[in-house]
Structures are given as C-alpha cells and as structure tokens.
Amino acid sequence: MSPVHALVPLAQTPGQDQPFQLPPIDYAALAPMLILFGVACLGVLVEAVFRRFRRARIQLPLTLMGLVAALVVVIWTASKRTLTAGGAIAVDGPSLFLQGSILVLGIVALLLIGERTLERGGPFVAQAAVTANTEADRAQAATAEGASEVFPLTLFALGGMMLFTTANDLLTMFVALEVFSLPLYLLCALARRRRLLSQEAAMKYFLLGSFASAFFLFGIAMIYGFAGRVDFKSIDQAIIGSSMSPVLLYVGIAMLAIGLLFKAAAVPFHLWTPDVYQGAPTPVTALMAACTKVAAFGGLLRVLYVAFQRAQWDFQPVIGTIAVLTMLVGAILAVTQTDIKRLLAYSSIANAGYLLIGAVALNKDGLSSSLFYLVAYGFTVLAAFGVVTLVRDADGEATHLSRWAGLGKRSPLLASVFTFLLLAFAGIPLTSGFTAKFGVFAAGISGGQAWLVIAGVLSSAILAFPYLRVVVLMWLSEPAETTPTVSIPGALTSAALMIGTLATLVLGVAPTLLLPITTKAAEFIR
Amino acid sequence: MSTFPFLSVLTVAPAVGGLVVALLPKDKPALVKRVAFVWSVAVFAVAVAMWVAFKAGGPQMQFRESYPWIPTWGVRFTFATDGIALVMLALIALLVPLVILASWHDAEGSRRSVPLYFALILFLESTMIGVFAAADVFLFYVFFEVMLVPMYFLIGSYGGQQRQYAAVKFFLYSLAGGLFMLAAVVGLWVVGGHTFDWQALRHATFATGTERWLFLGFFLAFAIKAPFFPFHTWLPDAGGAAPAGAAALLVGVMDKVGTFGILRYCLPLFPNASKYFAPLGMALALVGVVYAALLAIGQKDLKRLVSYTSIAHFGFIGIGIFAFTTQAASGAVLYMFNHGLATGLLFLVVGMLVARRGSALIGDFGGAGRYAPVLAGVFFFAGMASLALPGTSPFVSEFLVLVGTFTVNKTVAVIATLGIILAAGYVLWMYQRTIQGTPNPALEQVEGMKRRLSAREAVVVTPLIALILVLGFYPKPVLDVINPAVKATLSDVGKSDPAPTAVAVNKEAGK
C-alpha cells in the first residue's frame, strides 16, 4: 500500500463516545418490502384460521394483491434515491429496478405456483412430513389439496430477495440472504410427485447453501477485520486507506464471492443447480431460475460495484476466469443432458456466465446491460418452465427428453412457443435473448474484457446444440408410443406463458422500451 | 419514383405474404400455391421497377431509407443498395417465383403442411432481401441470423434422407460463424464510435491489431457461409438433403451472402486487414476450386455433386475478390449473379429428374435421355452453363476473374484454370452416367420417368435459359450496374489496377 493511507483517517467506529441513537427510518422507501412481509404474515394467519380447502382460494388473491401493491409502490417511488435505516438500506436506481423486476417476475411465477387445474390439488404435496412411497403418501398424491403454505413462503422469499438487492452493508445482506434462502429450501421439498427426489434436492440445497452462507459470514469477518466497518462506503474508503494487511481484503472478497456466486450458480459452485432444478416442483424451479438469479446478481453487482470497485484489478481476473468456466462448463454439460429440467438448469448456469461478463465489466454499460439481461432472461425462463409443467402423463410431468419426441405434431402451438423460447435462449435475433446478450457483450468489450466475449461466443455456439436437439425432437422426430399428452393449460398458466413469451418477443423486437429505463437506473449510491 | 421506399417494401412484402399464406386453410393447397406464386411475382415486379429506377452512374448507395429502431445503441433500420446488392436483389426476386413454381408438388410428398412450406419460402425471401438491402451492420446481422430459421425448417421438415442431421449441421455451422461475427460486430461498435451505420463506419480507422481481429470475426462468418475450404463440409449435406427448390435458393442466393459480405463489410471497413489477409483468402479460395472439383467428380448423389461444384465456383468468386483488380472483382460479382442462374437452373432440373426417378443417386439413372429427351437437353444446357462454356453467362464472369487475376498473380490464375478443366470432367461425366450410356433396366419400371417436360416446368426453366444465353453474349447491362460499385469498393481498399501498359504486356505474355 502507498503512504497515502496514513493520511486518510479510518472511519470511526461508533459506540464509546456518543450514546446509541435510533436512526431515522424512511418508511416510504421500505414500503415495498414491508408490504410483502406484512402480507406474508397475514398469509400465515390465514393458514391458522381457515379450513384447508378454503385456504388456497384466499391465499392466491391475497398474495397477488400484496405483490401488485408492492409493485405499485416501487413504480411510484421510482425516482427516489436515499440511504435509510442508518445506512443499512440503499434505495437507488439499481435497487428499485431490481425490486420491480423481482416483483414482476414473482407475479408471473406465482401464476404458475397457483395453478390448480393441471393436477388435482396442485403441484405441491399436502403434508411434507408424510413419508414418501407409503400408503398415506399415495393417498395424498391422488386426492389431497396441496399445501397452501407455499404462498406465504413465496412472499417471504421474494421479500428477502428485495432486501438483498437493497442491502447496503454486509450484515444486512447476510440477513437478507438467509431470509430468502430458508423459504426456498422448504419450497424445494414440497413436490407432490417424486417426493424423494424433491426431498433430496431440498437437502442438498440446504446443506450446500449453509456452507455458502458460512463462507459469506466468514468473509464478512475478514472484511470487518480489514475495514473496521461492514458498510459498503467504509469498505470502499478502507481499500485505499486501511493500514491492515490486504490479505484480509483478498480473503474476504474471495469468501464473499463464494457465497454470492453459489446463489448465482456459477462454476465451480454450481453443483447443486441441476439436482435442485430437477427435484423441486417445476413452478418453484421457475421462481428460482428467474427471481433468485435477479437477487443473486443484484447483490453481487452491488458488492462489486459499490464496495470493491477500487480493488477491481485484484478480483477482475479471478471473476473473469469464473465467468469463462461458468459459460463453458454450463454449455458443455448441457449437451449431454437427457432431462429437460436439467438441460434448462445447465443453460441457466451458462447464462449466469454471460451475466458475469456484465458484472466484471465494472462500467455503467455493464450494470445497465446486466439489469436488462436479468429481466429478459427471467421472462424467458419462466415461460420455458411453464411449458414444462404442461407436458405430462399419468405420473406427472414427463421431463425425459425422449418423451418430447414428436410433440410438434400433437400440439403445434405449444411446441411453437417452446421453439421460440429455445431460439431466444440460443440468442437468435428478434428475441430478447439476442438483445440481452448483445448488451453484455458490448459492455464486456468496452470494459476491456474482450476475452470474456470470445468465450461467451464460443459457449453460445456450443449451447445452441442442445437447444436445437430439443427442436429437432419436437418437430422432426416421429411421435413415439409414449409421447405424453399436453394438458390444456389453466387460465393462470396460460397467462404466465403469454406474458413470458410476449416479453421475450417484445424485448427482442423493441428493446428500446426497456433500455432507457435500465440506462437511467444504472447508478448506485454509496 | 425514386422516393418510393423500394428496399423496405421489398423486405417486408414477402414476410407479409408468408404470413398470409401461413394463415390460409390447409385443405386448399391449390389456393395456397397460387397466392404464394402471385405474391412472389409481385415482389419481382417491384424489383424490376427498382432496377429501372437505379442510376448506374449515380451515387454508390441509392434508395437510402433510415428509421430509428434502438436509439440507445444507435441501431437504425437503414436500407441502401449499391450495384452489387442490386443484382443480388434482382436474382432473389427472380429465383423465388421460379422456385415456388418448381416446387409445386414437393410439399405434398412430404406429408407435412403445404401452406407452411410456401410460407417458409416467402419468409426466407424476406430475410435474404433484408441481408442484401441492409446498410446498418446490426440490421445486417439480424437478417443474417434470422435467415437460418426458415431454411432450417425447410431442410429439416421437407428434406430427403438425413434431413435432421443436415439441418442441424447447417444451423450450427452458420450460427457458430455468426456468433464470431457478433463478437466482431460488438467490437466494431465499441471502437467505431457507437454507431452501426455502414457509411459512417467506413470512415472509421482502427488500430492495426484491432482491425485484424475484427476482420477475422467477419471473415470467419462469411467463409463458413460462402463456404470456403475448409468450412465447406455442411454444404453438401444441406444441399443433398434439402428439397430441390430450397437447395436452389440455398446455393443460388443464400451462400452469396458470404462473398457479398466480404465485399460489403470486410473490404471497405477493414481495408488494411483485408490487404494483410488477402493471401489467406486467396489460398483458401484456390484450394476450394481444385479440391471441391475433385470431390465433385467422386460423388454418387446428384444433389451433393451439384453442391460440390458450387464450392468450386465460390472458390473462383473468392479469387476474384481478393485479387483486388476491377476486372477480377467485377467478374466475381457477375459470377455471383450468373452462378445463381446456372446453379439455380441445375438444381431445379436435378430436382425434376429426382422427382421422376424418386432417387438422387447417380447409379439409379443411366440412359435416362431416351425417356425424357427435352429434360435431358435442359440438363445438358445447365451443365454446360455450370462449366462455363463460352456463350453462356458464367463464361464471361469466369473469364473476367481469370484475366483480372492474371494481371496481378499469374500462379493463382494458372492453377485456377485447372478448375475449368476439372469442371468439364465432373459435368460431362455426371451427364454421361445419368442421361447417356447403357439404359438402366430399372428405369423401365419407373412410371414417372416417362413424364414429359410439363408446361409448368417449361415455364420454370425458360427464363433462366434465356437469361444465361443473353448475358452470355451481352453482359453489359449487368456489368454497367456492377462496375461503379466495384470500383468504389476497391478504392476503399486503396487498390487501383496496375498501370494499363503493364496489363497489356502481361496479356501479351499470357497469350
């Protein structure tokens, strides 16, 4: 370190000198999160008060209203820029944009979660505690009304995600991380069919997620040791001013990154993704693929851009390498998949890699293009999983790829929609997948990371193959004896599919509807 | 009339037609075909009007239109055409109605939706016109990639044996090349001042290293598309599996996007890199001429054979481009046009033969001339045009390429001439094995072989034969349009022809 650090005083630790004062709280700025948490608590009450068969009918509109109300408030306060709650919460462009995205994507995911017509009782188990593969389990799978606890759980998760994207210090961030992770662990275990797979997924997610959280917490300790504070502004100043060993900083960044990249499903912290995506009930998978990705990258972007930007020469090459690994490993492993949910999981891993290009670019373009990418990808992946919920046989969803052969003949409309979504994943122009990729690639090159863009291009070329294989299966193969039927989607699923597909098309043809918003939003405050 | 938005109309109209055709009822195939045909003829009429309105001696880029699209990135719907693009647009507009007419019964045989087949052809026409008409690099890229989708389904859904494999291979090859171009497009945007406008980018200057990387990104995509050796392996599969009409469009027009792209984007935008990499381009093209001709001789399948001949012809075009002389480059552009006519004709005729025999294998024919004498004659003519017999239009272009190349690089010109001899080999031997020689007894059993050339088929081949002959004797109308554009392109590269005296001396020495 240069002698400069001696001249810049370390941020004072509060405590000894002045008495502790309650910081002023800007409730309007926190309103969206407060609404979600409030409605979630209300939902818990509904569980306690109403009879089982009534609950779902009350919960769905209640949850939906909560989300819409929060969204209205976010839009209402869109121009707000403030630090509140003693600097623990930063309400700025990116956080408001990400909150809005989480809410919109959450609403679409909720439509899938709330669908009850595809299967009697919905896609969730009635009582998760029933032992799998017993008589009682078979009975509940056949008739029982699904758990309606999923609605408050979803709300808690979404609220935690929103807090995660606004957290302005590491501790708040950790709390938010746990708040949104715990409900997700639970949600994963609630599949009505293939219960063992679902429970295994939840267990795996929980254990690995706990490790990642532990790393994150340890990282906080290291950074505290380095900077003496945990808020991002002080960390930013400490990077040029601290007299502590920079090793603390490097170890701290590395451990924080492990925690964050785990949630973002980046290689080598991706191992949970295919199993969890496959085992979890498909609507929950959709929720995770869309909203968790937004939250994880929202947090990662804030940490990198606000707290550690001055250390960029130290971490850029490492995160860049992780981005390359993520893109290539995700793409290559996607080629070998035989299950549609696992295929989409690996594709989501590769997409995390493309997003990392925007994150590592560390410029305004990088931020705005990442924001755009998150929304575009979220809609597409929601619609894709929505289609997966529709292709079913007597045992529930038919996710093995061989079962999708000849689907184009049996239900051309659905197969066309899915083909379009796959073309969007492959980044063909006139879909949002292309405009989003273009954005992050452009940011990468202007940020001096051309090597990442080359890797991204290579990985896209590889990834096109598995997508194309599905297209070939659906359209060019003859239907097999066992080709499952395609259920008529209920109103909710139809709406989710329509929103997701339309957004994919509109953001591809007229990205200019969203681009000025992301550009305007792309400015963090410290 | 010059204010009429020719290019956007030409681009949008076929897509609208495709939509209309796709929405027509499935149980009325006759109506579907008529609508598709009339629509494509109307598009052709617009193209003819545009040709008439084009001022050959006027500004390089004409009919410019520009509408905003994505202001944040500076992307605009900008269309403009020079002489090079104009002839390609005319070629597309001419070939599509003929292809529709030629594939009148193709879709029915495949047990798949008839309206969709013709809708896909019209969509394909729209995207192909867009590629040639775009004057915005982003827009060009969009059409370049979207073009793959209708062709993918044409091959995959309506093709012959191995169609799935061929369709996927075609798509992946093109997409991989396109993605490298995407990286280069993004790079061009970043270092070129955040604009995609072709005319603005033309004046941008780049650092040497950057320029070379960008050139390679574009060149790779175009070399795969054209295709040049060693990126050619997808074409015989795609051409062999595609229905004859789609194959005619694939080889006759779509592949020209590669050579057109080199002329429109690589040379003017990256002149120094173009000069630096010219030997590489020349070498790939030259290998293609000889290697593909040799492979063509060994083919057992008619459609694959024709595909290989095309790779050899693309080699000639490549040589003409990288020779950097006006004669050679004009020859190359003329070759792009003539090759579209000749190979288009050849593919369509082969399609007629295959439809009669029910097989594309050369071994299944033999002495077929006695059953379908007129068709055999047309086949012979198409073959002669393909080997560039004097009097047919490809001869003019091939001659121009060789003469233009000879003035700057004798060795290349001499080796390329070998390609002509090999061409005579593969065309004549193909003709001998299928039409002449000992009659194949199996043909007697095939009822279809005795079918005469129908009026519909005659209408398909007549305009192509007429054009090949007329342009073979009098290429001036097309050359007048091409020459100014080629001169402008070469002046961007900073190459002028060698001093006239030297040309004269070289010519003397050559003769």
Side-chain angles (χ1 to χ4, degrees):
Chain A
M1 302 289 289
S2 64
V4 180
H5 69 256
L7 300 174
V8 182
L10 261 183
Q12 292 296 312
T13 16
Q16 292 95 332
D17 304 348
Q18 62 266 66
F20 186 79
Q21 279 187 330
L22 196 63
I25 290 180
D26 182 351
Y27 285 100
L30 301 182
M33 287 172 272
L34 293 179
I35 293 174
L36 283 204
F37 288 128
V39 175
C41 294
L42 221 66
V44 175
L45 276 183
V46 170
E47 289 297 311
V49 173
F50 289 96
R51 283 166 160 289
R52 176 169 278 278
F53 61 90
R54 284 221 184 122
R55 288 180 203 157
R57 252 174 277 162
I58 302 170
Q59 292 280 21
L60 178 64
L62 182 73
T63 313
L64 210 53
M65 272 187 319
L67 288 174
V68 171
L71 183 62
V72 169
V73 176
V74 167
I75 295 171
W76 192 266
T77 57
S79 54
K80 206 173 184 75
R81 303 284 183 271
T82 179
L83 288 179
T84 183
I89 302 283
V91 177
D92 53 11
S95 72
L96 282 165
F97 183 86
L98 290 167
Q99 287 192 331
S101 323
I102 290 172
L103 285 168
V104 173
L105 296 173
I107 289 172
V108 181
L110 187 74
L111 296 176
L112 294 175
I113 291 174
E115 180 63 74
R116 286 284 186 276
T117 61
L118 290 176
E119 187 166 12
R120 218 180 138 144
F124 297 100
V125 70
Q127 280 180 300
V130 176
T131 316
N133 285 338
T134 57
E135 202 55 45
D137 182 37
R138 276 185 280 279
Q140 70 81 23
T143 58
E145 184 74 13
S148 49
E149 291 90 338
V150 291
F151 294 101
L153 282 174
T154 308
L155 274 183
F156 278 121
L158 290 173
M161 290 174 194
M162 286 169 68
L163 182 63
F164 194 63
T165 60
T166 54
N168 197 36
D169 67 46
L170 291 172
L171 272 181
T172 314
M173 203 163 203
F174 177 73
V175 172
L177 180 71
E178 292 304 304
V179 169
F180 85 75
S181 296
L182 289 172
L184 282 180
Y185 301 146
L186 260 177
L187 283 169
C188 287
L190 292 181
R192 171 177 289 257
R193 314 236 181 209
R194 304 193 183 91
R195 297 264 322 279
L196 284 177
L197 215 57
S198 171
Q199 287 170 358
E200 182 198 328
M203 196 65 190
K204 209 170 214 166
Y205 194 19
F206 172 65
L207 279 180
L208 292 176
S210 309
F211 287 139
S213 297
F215 272 108
F216 190 81
L217 204 54
F218 206 0
I220 297 179
M222 294 289 170
I223 296 294
Y224 183 75
F226 173 75
R229 297 282 293 263
V230 290
D231 67 289
F232 293 161
K233 189 178 179 184
S234 309
I235 295 170
D236 176 58
Q237 284 167 351
I239 288 174
I240 46 170
S242 173
S243 54
M244 303 301 287
S245 156
V247 173
L248 280 177
L249 174 71
Y250 302 148
V251 175
I253 296 181
M255 292 192 154
L256 289 179
I258 290 176
L260 292 166
L261 292 172
F262 173 83
K263 283 289 167 210
V267 175
F269 317 109
H270 67 290
L271 292 168
W272 59 276
T273 318
D275 291 338
V276 173
Y277 275 33
Q278 186 189 18
T282 308
V284 174
T285 312
L287 176 80
M288 289 195 293
C291 298
T292 310
K293 201 138 237 144
V294 176
F297 271 95
L300 185 69
L301 286 167
R302 187 176 291 278
V303 168
L304 294 186
Y305 279 66
V306 180
F308 296 119
Q309 179 135 35
R310 290 184 207 266
Q312 60 167 297
W313 301 114
D314 300 317
F315 69 75
Q316 233 169 357
V318 181
I319 308 246
T321 311
I322 288 180
V324 171
L325 277 178
T326 309
M327 290 186 280
L328 293 179
V329 170
I332 292 169
L333 290 183
V335 173
T336 64
Q337 296 310 309
T338 53
D339 183 287
I340 188 75
K341 281 170 87 177
R342 290 183 81 86
L343 196 160
L344 289 174
Y346 279 106
S347 129
S348 131
I349 293 172
N351 274 288
Y354 305 137
L355 272 160
L356 278 175
I357 298 180
V360 186
L362 286 174
N363 53 22
K364 194 170 152 61
D365 284 347
L367 181 53
S368 64
S369 63
S370 300
L371 297 180
F372 186 89
Y373 200 112
L374 285 168
V375 175
Y377 177 72
F379 277 118
T380 312
V381 83
L382 278 173
F385 278 112
V387 173
V388 174
T389 62
L390 294 177
V391 182
R392 23 189 349 126
D393 57 16
D395 293 330
E397 290 159 10
T399 54
H400 198 274
L401 274 181
S402 63
R403 311 285 311 275
W404 285 52
L407 204 71
K409 290 235 169 88
R410 302 233 170 154
S411 70
L413 181 67
L414 195 79
S416 310
V417 167
F418 201 64
T419 305
F420 176 71
L421 296 171
L422 288 171
L423 290 178
F425 282 135
I428 301 293
L430 303 185
T431 65
S432 64
F434 171 66
T435 41
K437 245 180 217 160
F438 179 85
V440 289
F441 285 177
I445 288 190
S446 19
Q449 307 286 330
W451 64 297
L452 293 184
V453 176
I454 302 288
V457 160
L458 259 177
S459 133
S460 309
I462 300 170
L463 204 50
F465 177 68
Y467 298 143
L468 218 53
R469 208 158 54 110
V470 181
V471 175
V472 168
L473 266 178
M474 288 194 304
W475 291 103
L476 310 184
S477 302
E478 295 301 316
E481 281 292 302
T482 55
T483 300
T485 56
V486 172
S487 304
I488 311 289
L492 294 177
T493 307
S494 310
L497 277 182
M498 204 132 69
I499 296 172
T501 313
L502 269 184
T504 305
L505 178 68
V506 169
L507 292 181
V509 176
T512 187
L513 294 175
L514 188 63
L515 278 173
I517 302 176
T518 54
T519 313
K520 204 168 149 233
E523 203 164 17
F524 283 115
I525 58 172
R526 277 200 177 96
Chain B
M1 197 61 186
S2 63
T3 53
F4 185 77
F6 279 112
L7 293 169
S8 48
V9 168
L10 272 180
T11 308
V12 175
V16 175
L19 218 58
V20 170
V21 167
L23 294 176
L24 287 174
K26 272 186 195 174
D27 50 351
K28 288 185 185 142
L31 174 73
V32 166
K33 292 170 191 171
R34 285 202 187 104
V35 171
F37 179 66
V38 170
W39 205 288
S40 61
V41 170
V43 170
F44 177 62
V46 177
V48 170
M50 183 174 77
W51 183 294
V52 173
F54 187 85
K55 294 183 193 66
Q60 191 197 351
M61 304 299 278
Q62 300 185 23
F63 308 122
R64 187 181 164 88
E65 300 168 49
S66 193
Y67 317 100
W69 182 12
I70 312 175
T72 319
W73 294 335
V75 179
R76 298 177 69 85
F77 288 105
T78 306
F79 296 104
T81 178
D82 58 1
I84 302 172
L86 183 78
V87 294
M88 295 314 296
L89 293 174
L91 179 66
I92 299 169
L94 171 72
L95 274 184
V96 169
L98 299 179
V99 163
I100 290 179
L101 210 54
S103 357
W104 210 249
H105 300 298
D106 282 8
E108 280 148 22
S110 67
R111 292 183 296 123
R112 294 196 183 237
S113 161
V114 176
L116 190 62
Y117 180 81
F118 292 98
L120 283 173
I121 288 188
L122 286 173
F123 283 133
L124 184 66
E125 181 179 20
S126 166
T127 53
M128 289 193 305
I129 289 180
V131 165
F132 288 107
D136 179 289
V137 181
F138 189 93
L139 190 63
F140 171 79
Y141 179 78
V142 167
F143 281 120
F144 187 86
E145 293 280 89
V146 173
M147 191 167 67
L148 302 180
V149 179
M151 185 51 94
Y152 168 78
F153 282 105
L154 277 174
I155 298 175
S157 299
Y158 300 92
Q161 287 192 330
Q162 283 222 312
R163 57 199 159 94
Q164 298 185 8
Y165 170 77
V168 171
K169 191 169 177 181
F170 156 75
F171 197 93
L172 286 182
Y173 256 85
S174 302
L175 188 72
L179 283 166
F180 280 102
M181 185 164 92
L182 174 64
V185 166
V186 173
L188 180 65
W189 181 68
V190 171
V191 298
H194 288 219
T195 177
F196 284 110
D197 188 74
W198 182 78
Q199 273 163 323
L201 285 170
R202 227 173 130 184
H203 303 298
T205 47
F206 313 105
T208 311
T210 317
E211 187 181 337
R212 285 182 188 164
W213 280 113
L214 294 178
F215 174 90
L216 281 181
F218 277 89
F219 181 73
L220 183 63
F222 296 143
I224 289 177
K225 198 77 180 178
F228 287 161
F229 174 86
F231 309 109
H232 63 281
T233 62
W234 64 269
L235 183 64
D237 288 322
L249 288 179
L250 174 74
V251 178
V253 182
M254 197 192 242
D255 291 349
K256 307 292 190 327
V257 175
T259 45
F260 169 78
I262 294 175
L263 276 170
R264 170 63 77 74
Y265 295 95
C266 287
L267 263 48
L269 299 184
F270 318 115
N272 298 320
S274 299
K275 273 182 272 186
Y276 180 78
F277 285 113
L280 172 74
M282 193 76 114
L284 292 184
L286 195 60
V287 174
V289 167
V290 178
Y291 179 68
L294 288 173
L295 286 182
I297 293 177
Q299 291 308 305
K300 296 191 175 76
D301 180 301
L302 276 174
K303 283 155 114 185
R304 289 180 70 91
L305 193 153
V306 179
S307 304
Y308 273 112
T309 70
S310 295
I311 299 170
H313 293 155
F314 280 113
F316 274 109
I317 300 175
I319 292 173
I321 291 173
F322 284 109
F324 295 138
T325 62
T326 322
Q327 270 176 328
S330 294
V333 177
L334 191 63
Y335 211 142
M336 283 158 65
F337 185 75
N338 288 332
H339 177 260
L341 298 178
T343 304
L345 178 66
L346 193 55
F347 251 121
L348 293 175
V349 175
V350 164
M352 293 169 191
L353 278 171
V354 172
R356 283 171 167 72
R357 179 63 181 88
S359 159
L361 290 181
I362 293 177
D364 286 344
F365 289 89
R370 67 166 58 184
Y371 300 105
V374 184
L375 188 59
V378 177
F379 187 43
F380 185 70
F381 178 82
M384 289 303 112
S386 183
L387 68 76
L389 190 75
T392 61
S393 60
F395 169 72
V396 182
S397 35
E398 204 158 289
F399 185 71
L400 276 174
V401 167
L402 288 176
V403 168
T405 311
F406 194 83
T407 57
V408 289
N409 194 333
K410 291 199 183 62
T411 321
V412 169
V414 168
I415 298 176
T417 313
L418 207 66
I420 303 184
I421 300 166
L422 291 172
Y426 57 69
V427 169
L428 290 174
W429 203 32
M430 166 181 78
Y431 190 74
Q432 189 202 354
R433 284 184 293 169
T434 52
I435 306 295
Q436 298 176 313
T438 328
N440 186 340
L443 286 181
E444 194 65 42
Q445 267 82 54
V446 183
E447 275 308 302
M449 276 316 289
K450 289 165 191 143
R451 217 164 58 222
R452 307 207 151 251
L453 195 71
S454 70
R456 172 178 62 81
E457 288 165 335
V459 172
V460 172
V461 295
T462 310
L464 290 174
I465 294 176
L467 264 177
I468 290 173
L469 281 176
V470 169
L471 293 178
F473 287 101
Y474 189 62
K476 192 168 176 296
V478 181
L479 275 176
D480 281 349
V481 172
I482 294 173
N483 272 330
V486 166
K487 285 216 173 76
T489 304
L490 287 183
S491 77
D492 281 341
V493 192
K495 283 273 184 179
S496 53
D497 296 336
T501 48
V503 175
V505 169
N506 278 346
K507 266 185 181 163
E508 291 304 310
K511 282 166 190 169

